[in-house]
Amino acid sequence: MDDINREKEFEDAVNLYGDLINRICLSFSADTEEFKDLRQEVLFNIWKGWEHFLKNSKTSTWIYRVSFNTCISFQRKEKKFKKTLPLENVLDKQAEETLQTVEKYKTLFSLIRMLSYNDRVILLMWLDEKNYEEISDLTGLNRNTVATRLKRIKEKLVKMNNEI
């Protein structure tokens, strides 16, 4: 693949899956600066691997994996486990229609950040409307295991939210 086509494909993929990348980075970020660093790292890793991506799987699946693996590696290196996530500066203007919406996102992402890495992966894919089969394919877990874990994750989030 020549450089121009490679750049165009990469740019198209980032435009198409930018929101997905942002959501994954948000769930692993403690603040705006960390979000920016993490997003840059994810985009760099996607770019680095783009010419080696064989397209054996869907592009969204590959981007999910690169994004999550980058975020987990970044977290391990940084060892930052802050419990709050100031989203006011990160959310798109569309999502900032009301203060109430921002507060809901802040609460949701702060609760998601308290989950284990594996639970975050499963929940974020479910929030992105992936079905159990797709989540199973992406995580390597059995479909029934995915369903059970999702049920437990939801229960855990409700409990955590009630404790706040």
Side-chain angles (χ1 to χ4, degrees), residues 95-107:
E96 292 187 83
E97 293 174 0
T98 66
L99 182 58
Q100 187 177 23
T101 302
V102 172
E103 290 303 316
K104 286 179 183 178
Y105 277 110
K106 284 174 62 174
T107 302

Side-chain angles (χ1 to χ4, degrees), residues 2-159:
D2 64 28
D3 287 342
I4 294 173
N5 286 339
R6 178 177 172 219
E7 288 176 22
K8 177 70 174 133
E9 278 188 4
F10 174 76
E11 184 179 329
D12 290 346
V14 169
N15 288 333
L16 186 61
Y17 300 109
D19 287 342
L20 165 71
I21 294 166
N22 288 343
R23 281 192 301 276
I24 294 169
C25 292
L26 276 172
S27 72
F28 284 87
S29 303
D31 56 44
T32 305
E33 289 306 311
E34 189 173 42
F35 167 79
K36 290 177 184 175
D37 291 344
L38 191 52
R39 186 172 190 282
Q40 183 175 356
E41 188 77 19
V42 167
L43 291 174
F44 176 73
N45 285 339
I46 291 171
W47 172 253
K48 228 173 35 175
W50 192 254
E51 68 181 302
H52 303 293
F53 173 46
L54 302 175
K55 297 186 175 52
N56 293 339
S57 62
K58 290 195 270 182
T59 303
S60 62
T61 301
W62 183 77
I63 287 177
Y64 251 109
R65 288 187 179 177
V66 172
S67 298
F68 278 115
N69 289 337
T70 301
C71 289
I72 289 170
S73 295
F74 186 88
Q75 282 288 315
R76 286 183 182 149
K77 285 180 202 168
E78 296 297 316
K79 295 190 180 190
K80 293 181 182 178
F81 297 104
K82 297 178 183 174
K83 300 271 187 206
T84 60
L85 182 60
L87 293 178
E88 296 89 351
N89 300 327
V90 180
L91 289 174
D92 295 333
K93 296 212 183 299
Q94 296 169 348
E96 292 187 83
E97 293 174 0
T98 66
L99 182 58
Q100 187 177 23
T101 302
V102 172
E103 290 303 316
K104 286 179 183 178
Y105 277 110
K106 284 174 62 174
T107 302
L108 176 63
F109 277 102
S110 67
L111 292 174
I112 290 172
R113 283 192 37 72
M114 292 181 207
L115 297 172
S116 70
Y117 294 134
N118 292 334
D119 286 352
R120 277 188 233 176
V121 169
I122 293 168
L123 180 65
L124 288 171
M125 284 189 269
W126 180 76
L127 289 172
D128 281 333
E129 300 179 0
K130 299 288 184 198
N131 63 39
Y132 291 170
E133 296 299 328
E134 290 172 307
I135 296 171
S136 175
D137 290 343
L138 286 164
T139 61
L141 297 171
N142 178 292
R143 184 199 179 285
N144 292 336
T145 302
V146 169
T148 302
R149 285 223 183 140
L150 262 173
K151 182 179 184 294
R152 290 179 183 159
I153 292 166
K154 290 177 202 174
E155 290 169 352
K156 187 185 298 185
L157 285 173
V158 168
K159 182 180 177 187

